[in-house]
Amino acid sequence: MIDNFLLLFDYPVLSADLALNGLLIGAVFVLAAFGMALVWGVLNIINIVQGEFVMLGGFVALMAAEAGLPVLLGIPIAALALFILGWGLYRLVIFRVIDRDLFVSVLATFGLSIVLQQLSNELFGADVRTLEAGLGTLLLFDGAVALAQIKVLAFFLALGLGLLLWLFLKYSRLGQAIRATAQNPRAASILGIDTDRVYAATYALNAALCGAAGALVVMAWAIHPYIGLPYTVRSFLIVIVAGVGNIGAVVAAGLGLGAFENVAGFIFGTEYQIALVFLLMVAVLVWRNLRLQRKRMYLK
Amino acid sequence: MSRSAARYAAIGGAGLLVLAAPFLAPAFVTQFTFLWLMIVFALTWDLMGGQLGYNSFGNILFFGIGAYACAVFQRDSGLGYYEALALGAALGGVLAAAAAAFLGLGILGLRGHYFAIGTLGLGIAAGEIAGGWDYVGAGSGMTVPLFPGALELRSLFFYFTLAALALATFLTLRWLYGTRFGLALNAVRDDEDKAEAMGLYTARLKTAAWSLSAFFLGISGALAGNLIGFIDPRDVAFAGATYGVWMVLMAILGGKGTLWGPVIGAAVFHITQEIFWTYLLGWQRVALGLLIVAIVVFFPQGILGTLREKFPGRFGSKAEVQ
Amino acid sequence: MSLLLDVKGVTKRFGGVVANDAVSLSVREGEIAGLIGPNGSGKTTLFSSIVGAHPIDAGAILYEGRDISSLRISEIARRGLTRTYQQTRIYGQMPVIDNMRISAPDVKEGILPLFRRAGRASEARARDLLSFVGLYEKRDLLAGSLSFGQQKLLEFAMALMSEPKMLLLDEPTAGINPTLINGLIDRLKRANKEFGVTLFVIEHNMRVIMNLADRITCLAHGQVLASGTPDEVREDPRVLDAYLGAQ
């Protein structure tokens, strides 16, 4: 462990390699976190099924490619499929838990996440799967840093999608309705906004976003039925660090988390990488809460 | 027959049934043994979730700590089977309680869903750490020493130890809920700010409750590890997706915040599971997820909660009697 | 009479809004003090500052001669300074009598006393106080099923049960059936006389506060406008201005 840590200083290029590769996957975390912040802010729900949307998006892209479609077309297809799934889940389950205790929504979406995870396990098998996009590798610093081009593409596509979402929320009619509902659902519904539709659209939009992220994950990295929960926890972690409404902070926190995970995973061993993410989340929660307690408050 | 005589008769009858069950239905001893384990799960979860209002998704952590602590003690102590198991189980309980007290310093300050998600994170992190730690066998887990006796004796041994643990847990909680400590737990659940403003030591209260819950869970982990004979980091010790969720589910199903609710919930859930699960083959976990959603969304009051609402007079609550 | 509570130049800001601006006032031991002022004048904020619900930005709050402005709400409660809330707070899922039992003074000593059986005297006191506020018949109902006014009375009884030296009451008559208000005034006075509890009362109902308080302080826009006997405050032109100007 210490050896690995020292290695990072002896070979700064190695540090750069780890950090850069981490930043790249961080962009995918940003996408999923955007979605979680959106649902949290508008529906007041903590969506534990978030990571399963990412995982399913990956499997949809995989199936599309296996059906002979161009690999990159898998991204919009995954988004569309997940949009429909999100809408359906909203109509079946989510709308029933919106006004209830937050614990109910956490537990209900946790149940949904088990359903989707186990369904995928039965349907697709538990193997680790990946999708070859057929792009080469980018070599930097005389070949000391190797970046798969698909990862770089995924990075920019993820940030591009995030930007698209931001523009959508800012300028489209539906986006404005979503923001109005987030601020004050009662006032919004008095002003003629169909809040139920807004909720459904928001939830479906979030699922689509995660679906696109999942398609990027399967192309640039790998997926299996059990990657969901870590993605949920990462999204949650990013949102509690950055806040629900602060886009710049979400991007910074997401990219930072990606780099942190990769470097920390190298130092402590990759078998502890997931544990580190979960412990980091616990530590951030506790730390933020302790700071508030000094002001005689607590996290709400 | 007077009421108290009827009560003693009922208790005596139930006691006899518990003692006789493994001999009356020897084919089901293992199922009965797991039922006792489930009852411990549901009771200890409800102490936090139902009585204190702190919905933990990570209580499985303490089960796993108990399982590993006991197995390591059995491996390294060099004592005979029974001595090592007894001391190891005690060690498991104490370590789990200590872990709860330590983690509680930070985690118990979190409220509502933050506590739920924080504990979820702890439970999963523990499984991941155990899965990478060579001292406890890393990903391949640990085996426990062989039981020094015939198979039937082994089944009976674990049946009775787990029955005793479930009974001890039940009686401890029954006593606890009758004291003002129990009232204080409920006060924190109903309005923690108010409880603080009334001068209650809420932090110590929460820590004490979590440690007690963890103590029984730790012992149950030690016994369950030996009952199963093999400790896998993610599928036995820190099995968040099965035991970890079942705890919550059974307590809610039976009725949160009641003494008998978790017991009833555990029994109903376990019997349903044993009857139906075998027909579902690989799909039982999908069914479990659906069950969670259905219970949480449509049946949050649980069995006892619903009965209490329908027949307030008969189930202790006098909400409608003027 | 000695000063029990001495608020010295307390300032509390929420973002850019100054809710309390250098507020100074004092309450003597054994008296009933009143706090009045138009809506939004910072009365409830001052109460929250005194009992430690949030930190203050400047000033000092002396209780029994000691600065308590950095203590936590529970520590302040254990010194015998308690409040009731404008939107009442009781333990809704517990029976009324259990709300009383868990408010007994010895719960402020630690968690070990919680395992002791409550003494017969404590049980009798819980019943007496419930009778005192007229809720004895409802003792086995869930507290959450009571009407708003009854919950308010229960909260008052719980506060008395905890044997405070000083009790801050935030609008005790708001939401109470007008026919019961005279009875409530009478009970507040008796609590003050018989149990020796110093009271500090926020009240909107002028008739009530003039009748009840020994001395009154009037806040407006977060500042102390006037203070003195009920008659002095009632005659003060600035107080009249604040009320008429605000409405």
Side-chain angles (χ1 to χ4, degrees):
Chain A
M1 196 167 89
I2 304 291
D3 292 345
N4 286 348
F5 186 65
L6 295 175
L7 215 55
L8 289 181
F9 290 97
D10 293 343
Y11 300 96
V13 172
L14 178 63
S15 314
D17 185 273
L18 286 168
L20 268 178
N21 273 298
L23 277 184
L24 294 184
I25 196 167
V28 175
F29 301 165
V30 169
L31 264 194
F34 264 159
M36 175 165 273
L38 192 63
V39 166
W40 196 341
V42 178
L43 284 76
N44 198 21
I45 276 181
I46 294 174
N47 189 39
I48 305 291
V49 71
Q50 195 80 351
E52 272 67 29
F53 288 162
V54 174
M55 178 267 295
L56 281 176
F59 276 111
V60 170
L62 199 64
M63 284 195 299
E66 279 170 357
L69 294 168
V71 169
L72 288 180
L73 201 59
I75 301 169
I77 292 178
L80 184 66
L82 267 289
F83 186 89
I84 295 167
L85 177 70
W87 195 286
L89 284 181
Y90 178 83
R91 285 281 167 240
L92 280 174
V93 178
I94 303 296
F95 82 96
R96 297 178 205 274
V97 299
I98 282 189
D99 295 324
R100 306 259 291 269
D101 187 66
L102 260 170
F103 174 68
V104 171
S105 67
V106 169
L107 194 52
T109 51
F110 188 59
L112 284 178
S113 99
I114 293 181
V115 172
L116 294 183
Q117 179 193 75
Q118 297 297 333
L119 267 179
S120 315
N121 190 27
E122 292 300 319
L123 296 176
F124 309 119
D127 299 334
V128 176
R129 307 282 288 274
T130 181
L131 184 54
E132 193 47 60
L135 296 176
T137 304
L138 210 59
L139 295 176
L140 302 174
F141 304 108
D142 302 327
V145 175
L147 293 179
Q149 283 185 17
I150 181 66
K151 291 188 184 178
V152 180
L153 184 67
F155 176 83
F156 286 110
L157 280 176
L159 291 187
L161 279 172
L163 184 68
L164 219 62
L165 173 73
W166 183 73
L167 291 173
F168 171 79
L169 286 178
K170 188 118 190 166
Y171 296 109
S172 76
R173 269 191 78 82
L174 179 58
Q176 285 168 346
I178 287 176
R179 288 191 296 140
T181 308
Q183 279 188 8
N184 190 338
R186 196 187 274 174
S189 79
I190 289 170
L191 292 173
I193 292 174
D194 181 351
T195 49
D196 187 54
R197 267 183 86 86
V198 166
Y199 287 149
T202 307
Y203 196 77
L205 202 61
N206 164 49
L209 209 58
C210 291
L216 295 174
V217 171
V218 74
M219 288 171 204
W221 294 274
I223 57 161
H224 57 84
Y226 298 101
I227 58 162
L229 205 51
Y231 273 92
T232 301
V233 167
R234 286 173 184 132
S235 312
F236 182 76
L237 176 56
I238 293 165
V239 176
I240 52 173
V241 168
V244 171
N246 191 340
I247 295 242
V250 168
V251 174
L255 298 183
L257 177 64
F260 164 83
E261 257 187 45
N262 240 21
V263 175
F266 175 78
I267 296 173
F268 294 97
T270 41
E271 67 269 32
Y272 292 122
Q273 189 165 333
I274 299 293
L276 285 170
V277 175
F278 283 88
L279 288 179
L280 182 67
M281 176 198 67
V282 175
V284 166
L285 277 179
V286 168
W287 182 70
R288 285 206 48 194
N289 200 54
L290 286 179
R291 273 176 50 115
L292 281 174
Q293 278 180 349
R294 257 190 260 153
K295 287 192 247 162
R296 296 166 166 178
M297 291 187 289
Y298 57 90
L299 270 180
K300 268 188 200 152
Chain B
M1 209 161 38
S2 75
R3 268 191 84 139
S4 67
R7 220 181 121 175
Y8 285 122
I11 293 174
L16 275 180
L17 195 64
V18 168
L19 288 176
F23 306 102
L24 294 175
F28 295 104
V29 178
T30 312
Q31 277 87 336
F32 289 146
T33 311
F34 271 97
L35 174 58
W36 294 123
L37 182 64
M38 294 303 134
I39 289 175
V40 175
F41 282 173
L43 280 171
T44 51
W45 189 85
D46 194 60
L47 169 59
M48 290 301 287
Q51 300 288 344
L52 186 64
Y54 272 68
N55 298 297
S56 167
F57 275 158
N59 269 13
I60 189 70
L61 174 69
F62 307 119
F63 176 81
I65 289 177
Y68 271 113
C70 182
V72 168
F73 185 79
Q74 286 173 294
R75 183 187 69 191
D76 298 345
S77 70
L79 294 171
Y81 183 83
Y82 294 105
E83 295 89 333
L85 180 60
L87 286 174
L91 178 73
V94 170
L95 271 185
F102 173 71
L103 292 170
L105 291 177
I107 295 277
L108 283 169
L110 298 170
R111 296 200 184 173
H113 50 285
Y114 287 103
F115 178 77
I117 294 175
T119 48
L120 177 72
L122 278 182
I124 293 173
E128 295 291 326
I129 291 170
W133 192 12
D134 289 325
Y135 180 62
V136 294
S140 43
M142 289 180 79
T143 48
V144 293
L146 277 180
F147 184 80
L151 269 183
E152 295 82 52
L153 197 62
R154 181 181 190 275
S155 319
L156 286 177
F157 175 74
F158 283 109
Y159 174 87
F160 283 110
T161 42
L162 273 159
L165 178 67
L167 193 67
T169 311
F170 179 84
L171 290 177
T172 307
L173 294 186
R174 198 180 88 118
W175 163 76
L176 192 74
Y177 297 161
T179 66
R180 288 188 298 161
F181 186 88
L183 291 185
L185 296 180
N186 295 159
V188 170
R189 174 194 66 197
D190 285 1
D191 191 337
E192 187 168 347
D193 288 332
K194 174 73 178 177
E196 250 174 48
M198 294 298 283
L200 283 166
Y201 283 85
T202 54
R204 292 184 203 174
L205 200 70
K206 292 187 286 185
T207 307
W210 213 23
S211 297
L212 185 68
S213 170
F215 177 70
F216 287 118
L217 269 174
I219 298 178
S220 81
L223 295 176
N226 277 273
L227 167 68
I228 297 165
F230 171 71
I231 302 171
D232 179 274
R234 295 181 191 87
D235 288 334
V236 177
F238 301 105
T242 51
Y243 298 156
V245 189
W246 295 355
M247 293 177 186
V248 190
L249 200 58
M250 291 184 296
I252 294 178
L253 177 63
K256 275 171 82 173
T258 59
L259 178 65
W260 279 100
V263 179
I264 294 168
V268 170
F269 177 80
H270 189 62
I271 292 168
T272 321
Q273 189 198 13
E274 290 295 329
I275 294 175
F276 292 110
W277 255 212
T278 42
Y279 298 110
L280 289 167
L281 292 168
W283 296 84
Q284 71 275 67
R285 290 190 177 183
V286 180
L288 172 72
L290 289 174
L291 199 62
I292 295 175
V293 176
I295 288 176
V296 171
V297 175
F298 298 108
F299 199 55
Q301 298 278 61
I303 296 167
L304 270 193
T306 309
L307 285 176
R308 189 178 265 186
E309 225 162 58
K310 290 224 168 99
F311 312 100
R314 291 207 59 157
F315 289 89
S317 165
K318 296 173 191 162
E320 299 304 319
V321 186
Q322 290 291 322
Chain C
M1 281 190 290
S2 64
L3 289 186
L4 186 59
L5 180 75
D6 196 3
V7 175
K8 288 182 167 172
V10 165
T11 298
K12 175 67 190 170
R13 282 183 284 268
F14 292 108
V17 182
V18 184
N20 287 151
D21 185 3
V23 171
S24 295
L25 55 81
S26 60
V27 177
R28 294 175 196 146
E29 189 155 8
E31 73 172 345
I32 301 180
L35 184 62
I36 60 170
N39 286 328
S41 58
K43 304 182 298 291
T44 298
T45 302
L46 183 65
F47 266 28
S48 298
S49 299
I50 293 171
V51 298
H54 53 225
I56 56 175
D57 295 308
I61 299 167
L62 291 134
Y63 170 72
E64 295 180 313
R66 273 202 51 182
D67 187 9
I68 55 166
S69 60
S70 61
L71 295 184
R72 289 174 174 279
I73 191 164
S74 47
E75 291 164 337
I76 291 172
R78 283 172 211 140
R79 284 162 203 267
L81 175 55
T82 319
R83 75 178 289 191
T84 65
Y85 294 83
Q86 202 172 353
Q87 301 299 323
T88 57
R89 298 183 88 154
I90 41 102
Y91 308 123
Q93 294 300 308
M94 293 164 66
V96 167
I97 187 74
D98 284 349
N99 271 266
M100 297 298 289
R101 286 186 179 129
I102 199 58
S103 303
D106 59 341
V107 308
K108 293 188 273 191
E109 289 163 19
I111 64 170
L112 286 182
L114 295 173
F115 294 104
R116 276 205 307 262
R117 278 205 160 281
R120 200 170 289 175
S122 176
E123 287 288 305
R125 186 173 157 76
R127 285 196 299 272
D128 288 349
L129 281 170
L130 282 180
S131 308
F132 181 67
V133 296
L135 288 176
Y136 183 67
E137 306 301 320
K138 315 242 178 211
R139 64 190 177 282
D140 289 328
L141 299 187
L142 288 187
S145 69
L146 299 179
S147 72
F148 180 75
Q150 290 167 339
Q151 291 188 16
K152 206 137 204 181
L153 291 169
L154 172 61
E155 195 187 24
F156 177 51
M158 286 160 71
L160 291 180
M161 181 78 193
S162 76
E163 295 180 4
K165 268 197 202 93
M166 177 168 184
L167 185 55
L168 311 190
L169 297 161
D170 199 343
E171 300 203 21
T173 65
I176 300 251
N177 184 335
T179 58
L180 298 178
I181 286 185
N182 281 337
L184 182 66
I185 296 177
D186 178 51
R187 289 193 178 97
L188 291 176
K189 283 187 168 167
R190 274 173 57 200
N192 175 250
K193 288 259 150 20
E194 291 171 22
F195 306 132
V197 185
T198 306
L199 296 180
F200 190 21
V201 187
I202 291 180
E203 188 50 71
H204 263 302
N205 187 327
M206 280 303 155
R207 187 179 62 81
V208 172
I209 198 71
M210 293 300 160
N211 193 337
L212 184 67
D214 302 317
R215 290 190 313 136
I216 294 176
T217 303
C218 178
L219 287 184
H221 303 298
Q223 292 172 323
V224 175
L225 203 61
S227 61
T229 64
D231 287 331
E232 286 166 10
V233 169
R234 181 164 36 200
E235 316 278 286
D236 195 307
R238 289 168 305 178
V239 175
L240 285 172
D241 247 19
Y243 269 87
L244 295 174
Q247 278 157 19

